[in-house]
Amino acid sequence: MDEAVADDYGRSWYAATSVAAPERSPLTIDVDVDVCVIGAGLAGLTTALEVARLGWSVVVLEAKRVAWSASGRNCGFVLPGFACDPRKIVERVGLERARRLWALSEAGGAYVRTLIRENDLAAVHPSRGWLDVSKTDDGDDMQETLALIGQEFGAAVEGWPTEQVRELLRTDAYFHALHYPNAFHIHPLNYALGLAAVAEAAGVRIFEGTPAREIDPAGVRKRVATPLAMVRAGNVILAGNVHMGELMPKLAETVLPVTSYTAVTAPLGDRLREAIGYTGAVSDSRFANHHYRVVNGDRLMWCGAGTAFERNPRKVAEGFKAAIAAVYPQLGPVEFTHAWAGTTAFAVHRMPQIGEISPGLWVAGAFGGHGLNTTAIAGNLIARAVVEGDDNWRMFEPWDLVWAGGTAGRIVHGARAFVRNRRETVEAQIARRRDRKRRAMEPPLYERADDGADAPPPPDWAQVRAVAAGSPRGPRRGAEPGYEDEPPMPPAVYGRRAYADPSFGDVAAPEPPNALDWRRAKAVEAHPDDVPQPAPSSRPERPPGRDGRPSGR
């Protein structure tokens, strides 16, 4: 990759390990097509691919290069759900519609997985699993989330107790966790470059170095002006992330640009393998701090520190060193070989913007927090709406375009994020001290022999957990009546698939067909009585707990 291209991609680790990609010429002659997509990120490329598969002509206009912005700079987590708290989704649209939206979010992840497999995309390196770990010892939020997502939504999710988490993440900074076995992580830039190649093979024409300067949305045939030529199209899809300010200033005012930072360490060798035994993605925050995964076998990729205004990535990465040392002190000093920033868009309601602004003018944006699955959703929904008249995109109508507050909104967002993250840090420190004190007061797992020598340690962690579960602990902190004498809750597994090995080996899971099954979602909407309902629980109902959600970035 030459210097100019490396600058476009932010000199990231992704750029340094990317596959070869062709240089695409700018648009120099007028064209007349069915669909014009503005923005060659994941949303724009997916939309263009699905439109071409349905038989319509389509061009993609990109101001710089394919996936040069957030699509090629993110953490690479392919997760179910949305950035919005699932409880808030239920509050706004009801349980039935929230369940269908969750199914769409899972279908978005399945689309990415299927595209990688069926097209044998090079150097994408998918790795299964996502752990959403808690830094506090209060499990009420996790249990509520587990019940909602696992039982009500029917998702594949597991509740892991503290002992199970610490077997794989060897730190006392973490407690219980939610494990999503069908989530996975990838090399997002190589996925986007492969997606572009698949789209071109389907008939899509991609023009790099071709910014859209002006749109005339009136009439049946819309006109999009570029520096050297004009595009006429029946439909225009705006998929430019936060870079729509000059073209569509009113639309740009409906999103908050949030910049997150990512850094990759130098090879850490056995130190990393001894500290982290989990090959999936890990999130240890409800908000922006922190998300990480192991790459190349012995490097640690660390992400987070979202800011409303862009900062120097190298300076932010220096702060990551302290965060890593706090969680994994056994790693010792670490050095970063790459550090970069990526800016994505958030709507104030934290749901994606998917829909028709005016006849023939569509928006696909605000994918912050859960971009890889939601861009796949948007591309499929909009393509089918344009070509087939499908109306499943209307499931996102309750989340309209809302003014994000401009510069003042960014300042308020930054202040709230600072307070939130500071509160989270203090609560984690208190929980860690409380856990250390509790463990110091627990009886030993085995007693000394009469001669004063230590007995042999237990043969495996299963025995450790069995002994620990039987040790007297007293009532659970904050327990409600009827739960004081309850034994520790075992890991719960809900959903359509359970995995015998939660540490994740090779698992053969059935995959959906190439196209997302939107018609199944419509059938569920038309016949909600046919949806299987969860079996009634024999446990007494708990009172509502504090608001919480699984993070996801």
Side-chain angles (χ1 to χ4, degrees):
M1 183 173 289
D2 63 31
E3 293 298 308
V5 177
D7 285 338
D8 282 341
Y9 286 109
R11 297 188 176 273
S12 67
W13 179 81
Y14 294 137
T17 57
S18 65
V19 297
E23 289 193 20
R24 299 171 174 90
S25 61
L27 179 67
T28 57
I29 61 172
D30 293 354
V31 295
D32 199 306
V33 291
D34 295 316
V35 177
C36 175
V37 177
I38 299 175
L42 293 175
L45 292 171
T46 304
T47 305
L49 170 60
E50 293 306 313
V51 167
R53 282 176 168 174
L54 293 171
W56 282 25
S57 60
V58 54
V59 298
V60 178
L61 306 180
E62 171 54 54
K64 290 189 177 181
R65 298 181 186 275
V66 166
W68 71 273
S69 189
S71 292
R73 303 188 187 204
N74 61 77
C75 295
F77 292 13
V78 187
L79 312 177
F82 303 91
C84 182
D85 185 334
R87 292 172 181 80
K88 294 185 181 297
I89 297 176
V90 174
E91 290 173 4
R92 176 164 291 202
V93 300
L95 183 59
E96 289 299 326
R97 196 166 182 176
R99 184 183 292 123
R100 293 195 298 274
L101 284 166
W102 186 272
L104 284 180
S105 79
E106 290 184 326
Y111 178 91
V112 176
R113 184 187 302 115
T114 303
L115 190 85
I116 294 169
R117 187 188 66 248
E118 290 191 346
N119 296 280
D120 194 22
L121 299 189
V124 177
H125 308 305
S127 184
R128 301 177 67 99
W130 173 45
L131 266 181
D132 179 23
V133 299
S134 173
K135 292 184 287 190
T136 68
D137 52 357
D138 184 355
D140 289 343
D141 284 352
M142 187 195 78
Q143 291 295 340
E144 290 179 24
T145 302
L146 186 63
L148 175 62
I149 296 176
Q151 292 180 307
E152 300 293 347
F153 291 173
V157 58
E158 305 163 350
W160 282 17
T162 302
E163 293 81 4
Q164 189 174 2
V165 172
R166 292 180 179 179
E167 283 181 37
L168 296 178
L169 305 178
R170 295 163 191 122
T171 173
D172 64 356
Y174 297 152
F175 296 87
H176 45 268
L178 293 179
H179 181 230
Y180 295 81
N182 291 339
F184 56 104
H185 62 83
I186 62 173
H187 189 301
L189 179 55
N190 282 343
Y191 170 71
L193 296 175
L195 175 60
V198 173
E200 288 179 318
V204 176
R205 288 177 288 172
I206 302 173
F207 298 97
E208 294 182 328
T210 307
R213 296 297 193 197
E214 185 179 355
I215 296 178
D216 180 2
V220 176
R221 307 295 290 176
K222 283 73 175 145
R223 290 178 293 177
V224 180
T226 73
L228 301 176
M230 179 80 68
V231 179
R232 297 179 184 84
N235 291 269
V236 175
I237 289 85
L238 305 172
N241 192 23
V242 295
H243 309 289
M244 303 296 295
E246 293 185 8
L247 184 65
M248 300 287 290
K250 293 295 184 184
L251 178 63
E253 290 176 355
T254 66
V255 296
L256 282 169
V258 176
T259 302
S260 60
Y261 305 86
T262 307
V264 174
T265 67
L268 298 174
D270 291 338
R271 287 184 292 160
L272 185 58
R273 285 183 281 271
E274 291 169 2
I276 301 176
Y278 182 66
T279 59
V282 180
S283 296
D284 71 1
S285 172
R286 299 295 182 190
F287 305 104
N289 302 312
H290 290 100
H291 314 278
Y292 58 90
R293 59 191 178 103
V294 175
V295 296
N296 268 21
D298 63 352
R299 292 175 180 257
L300 182 61
M301 177 180 287
W302 198 268
C303 317
T307 59
F309 299 92
E310 189 168 351
R311 297 170 56 194
N312 186 317
R314 283 288 174 184
K315 291 183 178 180
V316 175
E318 288 300 312
F320 286 171
K321 293 180 180 180
I324 294 172
V327 178
Y328 297 109
Q330 65 268 45
L331 288 178
V334 299
E335 296 297 329
F336 294 112
T337 59
H338 299 82
W340 67 94
T343 302
T344 189
F346 282 83
V348 293
H349 45 60
R350 299 181 68 85
M351 286 292 281
Q353 297 173 341
I354 301 174
E356 192 174 25
I357 300 174
S358 62
L361 185 63
W362 298 79
V363 62
F367 301 112
H370 280 252
L372 281 157
N373 72 318
T374 53
T375 51
I377 294 170
N380 278 270
L381 287 176
I382 293 176
R384 280 155 181 74
V386 169
V387 180
E388 300 179 336
D390 187 283
D391 63 353
N392 271 297
W393 65 271
R394 294 188 181 278
M395 281 195 285
F396 291 90
E397 277 189 324
W399 295 277
D400 207 347
L401 301 179
V402 180
W403 183 58
T407 302
R410 297 172 70 176
I411 294 172
V412 170
H413 169 83
R416 285 179 175 174
F418 175 82
V419 172
R420 216 166 34 216
N421 289 327
R422 183 59 185 165
R423 182 175 65 244
E424 190 177 85
T425 300
V426 171
E427 290 175 350
Q429 291 171 344
I430 294 172
R432 204 169 181 177
R433 287 197 294 267
R434 186 165 53 234
D435 178 62
R436 288 171 177 171
K437 183 183 295 187
R438 182 169 56 242
R439 286 189 285 119
M441 297 174 63
E442 286 182 346
L445 296 178
Y446 53 90
E447 297 180 355
R448 290 180 179 272
D450 293 337
D451 60 2
D454 284 346
D460 57 30
W461 276 104
Q463 184 174 342
V464 172
R465 289 198 299 271
V467 175
S471 62
R473 291 174 181 258
R476 179 168 58 87
R477 185 176 65 85
E480 290 79 27
Y483 292 88
E484 288 85 358
D485 299 325
E486 182 177 292
M489 182 170 290
V493 180
Y494 298 116
R496 294 176 295 279
R497 309 182 190 93
Y499 292 82
D501 179 12
S503 64
F504 239 96
D506 294 332
V507 179
E511 301 292 354
N514 184 55
L516 296 179
D517 193 1
W518 310 115
R519 289 164 181 76
R520 183 178 68 84
K522 292 187 71 175
V524 170
E525 185 174 3
H527 305 285
D529 295 337
D530 296 338
V531 178
Q533 298 298 318
S537 173
S538 60
R539 296 168 51 83
E541 184 177 354
R542 294 178 186 267
R546 295 183 305 172
D547 187 24
R549 67 178 181 84
S551 62
R553 248 53 55 197

